[in-house]
Amino acid sequence: MKKIEINALSKRYNVLLESGILSKAGALICDALNRDSGQGLKICVVTDANVNALYAGEDQALFTSLKDAGFSVFKYVFPGGEDHKNLATIEGILDYLTENHFNRGDILLAFGGGITGDITGFAASIYMRGIKYIQIPTTLLSSVDSSVGGKTGVNLKAGKNLTGAFWQPEVVLFDPDVLKTLGYEQLLDGMGEIIKAGMITDKSLVQFILSAGSARNGESFADYMKDAAPCDASAGGKDKVPAIFGNDEALLEAIARSVDIKREIVEDDERETGRRKLLNFGHTIAHAIEKCSSYGISHGNAVAIGMCIVSKAADALGWTDEPSADMMQQITDYFQYPKNIPYTAAQLTAAALNDKKAGSNSVPIIYAQRPGFCTERKVMFEDLENFISLGL
Ligand code: GLY
């Protein structure tokens, strides 16, 4: 089992990664709560309809292990998707908890992707002024990013994640076996954040990803992913995917290294007053791309494109002491990220200026001064369109 210990200012907790960990979840949650058993505690698993159908059955590993550990297990299923990441879903969860007489000592458990984790964490942060919660991410993206670090929240009509709280989980459990039911696009989505982590502080992670060989003896990726959603045609078909997706050990290593990079940053700056802003590399442009596409382009894909745009512009402006655009190009080509976007610099600028991170007259841009070392510069509103043009 891989273990990463997060010592955030407000809480110390572990991220535990292991194949088959769902069947140990009950015991591991008791450990995290410093209890011998879950007797006398209610736990409400919050999940979306998709994960519910795949993994949240009464007789499947997670539920069985929670019940075996003595918890009284409840389940709240919401439809899933960005459209349901809102206050109405939060209210639904809070009502469900009161109807079932959850009190301050009881627990929420987020079982799903980033949306589920953000919603559940936020509900936990406000129910009875704050109860404990557990993160069990089921996507590559949420395993490396949103499940760690305590950012929780929902969207408002005006934009994404505009209301929320910093609320750290008691423990994060990740079972890499769940990646087998993801489509290639969803894997790309998470890989975008792993690449980002490497570009921020450790370029050897990017090199590690590029050099990983396939360890899947004889089994084609198509067999491995036989239950997964069809791949995007741009990925060249299921048999032509990058080797790391056929190498469980290397992929788990990349996930753990990425979480460890996030650990180090969150420990330094839990509330994003300084260094945590580095985790926004590529994100200002990514949010603009997501918004222009009405969220048709996924977050991780938009982050990959955003990092390419920023790197090219930063190189062109002489901000870098070692060019980073080439490495971004190499890694995004390797994974065949769809990079053609039909938006002009003017359209992206207009969307970026509405971003919640924009200041009163400038936008903070995180860029790689060299691969593996990111820093921040402010771009004045009037210069942003030119900056984006240089990167397109
Ligand atoms: N996803 C960026 C952060 O957690 O700060």
Side-chain angles (χ1 to χ4, degrees), residues 73-261:
V73 189
F74 294 75
K75 178 163 75 172
Y76 184 88
V77 183
F78 71 103
E82 205 67 50
D83 289 350
H84 294 275
K85 188 178 172 180
N86 55 30
L87 290 168
T89 303
I90 295 290
E91 197 174 10
I93 295 170
L94 301 179
D95 285 344
Y96 181 77
L97 297 179
T98 51
E99 280 155 23
N100 289 288
H101 311 290
F102 272 62
N103 67 37
R104 231 184 224 163
D106 295 324
I107 302 163
L108 282 176
L109 187 158
F111 188 38
I115 292 173
T116 303
D118 285 6
I119 288 174
T120 310
F122 184 44
S125 77
I126 55 176
Y127 185 69
M128 298 203 168
R129 300 200 173 87
I131 63 170
K132 293 178 175 168
Y133 79 111
I134 315 294
Q135 285 274 18
I136 305 193
T138 58
T139 60
L140 187 55
L141 182 63
S142 56
S143 70
V144 294
D145 191 33
S146 56
S147 63
V148 179
K151 275 191 184 175
T152 73
V154 295
N155 305 332
L156 298 181
K157 283 194 194 83
K160 274 184 80 169
N161 298 330
L162 287 182
T163 195
F166 286 96
W167 195 246
Q168 304 288 350
E170 299 304 303
V171 67
V172 181
L173 306 177
F174 179 61
D175 186 342
D177 292 352
V178 300
L179 299 178
K180 294 178 187 181
T181 46
L182 298 182
Y184 187 69
E185 278 179 47
Q186 286 172 295
L187 292 176
L188 281 191
D189 228 15
M191 189 50 73
E193 295 285 351
I194 299 179
I195 295 166
K196 180 197 80 178
M199 291 300 285
I200 292 174
T201 66
D202 182 7
K203 78 170 176 189
S204 74
L205 174 55
V206 179
Q207 287 156 338
F208 172 78
I209 293 166
L210 284 167
S211 64
S214 178
R216 196 165 296 289
N217 294 333
E219 187 191 3
S220 74
F221 195 80
D223 285 341
Y224 173 64
M225 290 190 68
K226 57 184 176 307
D227 300 324
C231 286
D232 188 294
S234 63
K238 285 183 178 178
D239 284 324
K240 293 194 180 134
V241 297
I244 193 161
F245 289 140
N247 184 338
D248 295 345
E249 210 176 305
L251 186 56
L252 195 57
E253 177 71 23
I255 293 169
R257 286 179 65 173
S258 183
V259 170
D260 198 48
I261 289 170

Side-chain angles (χ1 to χ4, degrees), residues 145-146 148-151 166 193 196 262 265-266 270 272 276-277 279-280 283 299:
D145 191 33
S146 56
V148 179
K151 275 191 184 175
F166 286 96
E193 295 285 351
K196 180 197 80 178
K262 184 154 187 186
I265 292 173
V266 167
E270 183 178 355
E272 199 175 305
R276 188 163 179 171
K277 291 182 190 161
L279 293 171
N280 296 325
H283 279 59
H299 178 69

Side-chain angles (χ1 to χ4, degrees), residues 1-56:
M1 183 181 300
K2 288 189 190 292
K3 170 172 155 184
I4 298 147
E5 203 177 303
I6 316 266
N7 281 300
L9 208 57
S10 67
K11 189 178 289 262
R12 173 188 288 218
Y13 59 97
N14 291 328
V15 179
L16 304 173
L17 316 164
E18 190 182 58
S19 169
I21 205 167
L22 291 179
S23 59
K24 300 180 190 167
L28 292 170
I29 292 168
C30 287
D31 282 352
L33 299 173
N34 276 320
R35 294 179 61 105
D36 293 335
S37 91
Q39 288 293 342
L41 279 192
K42 291 181 185 146
I43 192 162
C44 177
V45 176
V46 178
T47 194
D48 70 22
N50 184 36
V51 174
N52 183 43
L54 288 167
Y55 300 115

